Amino acid sequence: YVWPSPQLDALEAMRWDQNRFGIAPLIRPCDLFIFGPANSGRSNAADWIRTAYHDMATYNITDGTGGMDASIRFAAEQARPENAGDGFANTLNVLQPVSNRYVSSLLTSLTLIRIAAAQKLPSRGGRLDAAVPNQPGVPEPQEGLDSHVASFSRQGFTKEEMIGLVACGHTFGGVQHATFPTIVPDLHDSNNVDSVAHFDTTNTHFDNNVATEYISGTTLNPLVVGLNDTTNSDKRIFGSDGNATMEAFAQSPDLFASTCANLFARMLDTVPKGVQLTDVITPLPVKPNTIKLIYDALTETIAFSGEVRLWDVPANLSRVVRMLWDDRSGSTSTANNITLSTGSIIPIGSRHTATWYFFNLFPLSASSGVSSIRFVVDGKLEDQQGKGFAVNDDLVFANSSCSMPADGTGTFDVAVRKDVAPTRVYLEQTSRDSTSRPIIVEIDMTPKPVDSSKAYAIWSANVSSTFESYTIGAEVGGVKITRGLGMSLNQFGECSS
Ligand code: HEM
C-alpha cells in the first residue's frame, strides 16, 4: 500500500512492529500468564487462541452471520455453557484497551496466532467489532462426531479440515479442572496449581507433538484419554478418518505447520457477510512514522519532526540516511535535505529487524510548508516508486496550545492554512460506545480573529484533560478529514494566565 494510510499504517505496525507497538510483552515468554501465578499451568497464548476460535465458531456459511467480529466480548456470549471459563474475559481485558478506531478488539489476538503459529501467515485487516452478540454455535466435548462434523461444516470447514483445526488449536493449553471438573480431576501438582490437563507435553509451543503423542499412544490429552468417554471429542475427531490426518501430522512437522498456517488464516478471515478485508499487509520497506508538524505564529514557522523505519536492512552503523522534502508548491530546493540521526535497531522476533532514524523539530517557513518527503538510503532514492511520502500541512497543532496544571484543563489551538476554508474544525477524541466499540467524539473549535499577515488562522477549544490525546478533524467541502499525530496538552507549555 501507499503510505500514508492511517488504518493500514496502524495495522502494519500492530502486525509487524510488535516490539514497538503493542503486544510482544504479553506473549513472551511463551508461557506467560498475567492473570495468575507462574505455576498456574495456564498461558495467555492458549487463552487468546481459544478466544479467537470461539469468536469465529458462531459463523454460519449459509447466511454469512457470525464469525470473527469480537462478539465474544459480550457477557451474554461468555455466559453460555459453550464458552465456559474465564479465558475470554481475561483475553478481552488485555486486548480491548489496545483496540482503537483502526484496530478491532480481537485483532491483537489474531496477531498473536500469526506470530505463534506461522510468521508467514498472510495478514489482513478490516474486521469490525459486532454491535450485538452472535447466535450460539461453539462445539462442546460431550457432542457426538456427527454433530461436530455438522458444526464445522456450518463454520465452513470439511471433516478433514476439522481434524486439522482441532489439532492445530489443541497444541496449546489444555482443559482446566475448575471449568471442566468432570473431565479433569484436581491434579495436586504444585507446578500446575490450576490443574490444567495439557493437550500435549509442549503446551506453550506450536509443534506437532499433539499428533506424535497421539499416534505413539503416549498422549495425555484429556479429550482423548479422559476417563469419561462421552467427553473424548478429540479422540472421535482425530480418529474419524482412520487417523490418516494425524499420522501425516506426526510424520511431518512441516506439513503440520503449513496446514495450521492455512487453517488459522481461514479461521481468522472468516468474517460476517459484508465485511471487506484488506489486501494482505506486508511490512513497508521504508516507513515514515510519528510525523509531527507544530505551527509557531510568532516566528511564522512550522517545527517538523519524525522518524523513518527501514525494514530488514543489515546492521550498518555507517549507513547514511538523508531526507529530502518538497515545499507546498512542490518544488525541491537543494537546501531541503537533512541527514537523519543514527538509527536504533530493534529485533522483531528472530526473523526481522526494524532500524529507526530520527529527525528533530527543525523550523520550516510557514509560507512554504511541506507537501512530500523522500529518503536517500546509502545513495539510493526511496520515494514509493516516484509517489513520494505525502505530508499534510493544511491543519496542524499550534504551539500556543497550553495547559493549566493547577486544574488539569487547557486550550488547544489548531492552525488552519488560509487556503483551506473548512466549515468546521474539531478535536477528535477516542471514546467507547455502550458496547465498548471505539468511537470518535468531536469537540468543536471556534475560529479566532484572523491576522492577515499570517499564513495560518487559529481555531481554539478548551478541554478538561491535559493527558487525553486528540487528533484534528475538519469538514472541508462537505468531506470529513482527519489530521495529525494524536497529541495531548501536556506536550505543550503552561498557559500564561
Ligand atoms: C470439537 C471442537 C472442539 C472442542 C469440543 C473443544 C473443547 C475444548 C475444551 C473443553 C477445552 C478446555 C477449556 C478450558 O478448560 O478452559 C479446550 C481448550 C482449548 N481449545 Fe478447544 N475445542 C475444540 C476445537 C478447538 C479449535 C478448533 C481450536 C483452535 C483452532 C481450539 C483451541 C483451544 C485452545 C487453545 C485451548 C486451550 C485453552 C487454555 O488452555 O486456556 N479448540 N477446547
Side-chain angles (χ1 to χ4, degrees):
Y1 70 92
V2 176
W3 187 96
S5 160
Q7 182 186 25
L8 292 173
D9 291 341
L11 293 168
E12 193 258 18
M14 180 70 77
R15 163 67 183 92
W16 292 101
D17 234 343
Q18 305 114 23
N19 287 13
R20 198 148 168 231
F21 296 101
I23 56 168
L26 299 172
I27 51 167
R28 289 186 194 134
C30 305
D31 62 354
L32 183 68
F33 185 60
I34 57 176
F35 293 97
N39 59 349
S40 68
R42 299 182 62 186
S43 67
N44 291 345
D47 270 356
W48 294 12
I49 292 166
R50 181 168 176 248
T51 300
Y53 175 62
H54 283 229
D55 194 59
M56 187 286 290
T58 57
Y59 186 63
N60 185 330
I61 196 169
T62 313
D63 59 13
T65 57
M68 271 332 268
D69 59 4
S71 66
I72 192 81
R73 74 189 191 283
F74 289 103
E77 268 192 42
Q78 288 178 24
R80 295 173 187 160
E82 66 187 36
N83 292 325
D86 60 7
F88 311 106
N90 287 351
T91 303
L92 268 304
N93 273 338
V94 178
L95 300 184
Q96 228 167 310
V98 187
S99 70
N100 59 45
R101 67 199 291 187
Y102 302 124
V103 177
S104 95
S105 302
L106 271 184
L107 189 93
T108 36
S109 136
L110 318 183
T111 302
L112 167 96
I113 296 175
R114 296 179 198 282
I115 299 163
Q119 277 282 357
K120 293 189 177 125
L121 204 63
S123 178
R124 297 170 197 276
R127 290 168 199 79
L128 294 175
D129 289 2
V132 291
N134 286 335
Q135 292 296 312
V138 184
E140 296 185 65
Q142 73 280 4
E143 293 166 40
L145 181 62
D146 289 349
S147 165
H148 285 147
V149 171
S151 173
F152 276 82
S153 166
R154 182 209 1 99
Q155 297 161 41
F157 296 91
T158 64
K159 188 168 90 174
E160 191 189 348
E161 290 166 347
M162 167 184 77
I163 301 168
L165 203 52
V166 173
C168 298
H170 289 177
T171 182
F172 291 96
V175 181
Q176 286 174 68
H177 164 64
T179 317
F180 292 93
T182 59
I183 301 180
V184 178
D186 189 336
L187 300 176
H188 301 292
D189 180 351
S190 58
N191 292 318
N192 183 352
V193 293
D194 280 352
S195 290
V196 184
H198 295 126
F199 293 124
D200 70 14
T201 50
T202 48
N203 60 84
T204 57
H205 287 94
F206 180 73
D207 59 27
N208 68 339
N209 281 356
V210 63
T212 54
E213 292 166 16
Y214 169 80
I215 292 297
S216 68
T218 57
T219 187
L220 298 176
N221 178 339
L223 300 182
V224 173
V225 295
L227 289 179
N228 180 351
D229 209 35
T230 307
T231 49
N232 281 335
S233 51
D234 281 8
K235 175 177 152 189
R236 290 186 288 274
I237 289 171
F238 293 166
S240 64
D241 64 353
N243 289 338
T245 302
M246 293 303 274
E247 283 276 9
F249 284 165
Q251 277 165 26
S252 170
D254 288 348
L255 177 76
F256 181 74
S258 62
T259 307
C260 292
N262 274 331
L263 290 172
F264 277 163
R266 288 258 314 279
M267 169 173 93
L268 302 179
D269 293 350
T270 297
V271 291
K273 192 169 76 184
V275 174
Q276 186 67 41
L277 294 180
T278 67
D279 287 342
V280 173
I281 299 169
T282 51
L284 292 186
V286 175
K287 185 184 187 190
N289 193 53
T290 52
I291 297 294
K292 191 155 77 178
L293 299 169
I294 308 279
Y295 174 70
D296 182 339
L298 289 180
T299 55
E300 265 299 88
T301 56
I302 298 172
F304 184 26
S305 64
E307 55 188 349
V308 62
R309 186 197 73 197
L310 306 184
W311 188 257
D312 275 348
V313 289
N316 174 4
L317 288 177
S318 56
R319 175 180 298 112
V320 176
V321 178
R322 297 183 71 72
M323 185 178 79
L324 320 175
W325 69 96
D326 295 343
D327 67 19
R328 199 174 302 132
S329 67
S331 77
T332 312
S333 151
T334 47
N336 288 358
N337 81 81
I338 183 176
T339 301
L340 307 192
S341 328
T342 314
S344 69
I345 301 173
I346 304 179
I348 310 289
S350 56
R351 294 178 179 87
H352 301 288
T353 56
T355 305
W356 293 88
Y357 291 81
F358 307 94
F359 61 100
N360 261 322
L361 293 169
F362 62 93
L364 304 172
S365 142
S367 57
S368 313
V370 54
S371 60
S372 170
I373 55 179
R374 282 160 289 138
F375 301 91
V376 178
V377 180
D378 276 341
K380 182 172 179 273
L381 181 65
E382 297 286 357
D383 65 351
Q384 299 198 106
Q385 285 80 42
K387 295 181 206 69
F389 297 90
V391 175
N392 284 305
D393 69 355
D394 48 1
L395 291 108
V396 302
F397 284 113
N399 70 355
S400 47
S401 301
C402 64
S403 65
M404 292 195 280
D407 65 359
T409 66
T411 306
F412 262 110
D413 282 350
V414 163
V416 180
R417 218 176 59 210
K418 283 200 181 143
D419 58 310
V420 177
T423 47
R424 266 182 81 211
V425 178
Y426 46 86
L427 296 171
E428 298 176 329
Q429 179 188 354
T430 302
S431 184
R432 306 266 163 186
D433 72 6
S434 59
T435 74
S436 295
R437 287 185 299 180
I439 51 165
I440 299 298
V441 174
E442 297 173 354
I443 302 168
D444 265 298
M445 309 190 85
T446 48
K448 285 189 166 174
V450 173
D451 179 340
S452 59
S453 68
K454 308 286 184 193
Y456 285 77
I458 301 294
W459 292 58
S460 237
N462 295 331
V463 297
S464 56
S465 162
T466 56
F467 291 96
E468 189 77 49
S469 175
Y470 301 88
T471 46
I472 302 169
E475 281 178 29
V476 183
V479 177
K480 283 191 164 186
I481 57 174
T482 293
R483 291 287 183 264
L485 187 65
M487 291 196 75
S488 57
L489 277 183
N490 56 15
Q491 294 171 274
F492 295 92
E494 288 186 22
C495 302
S496 47
S497 56

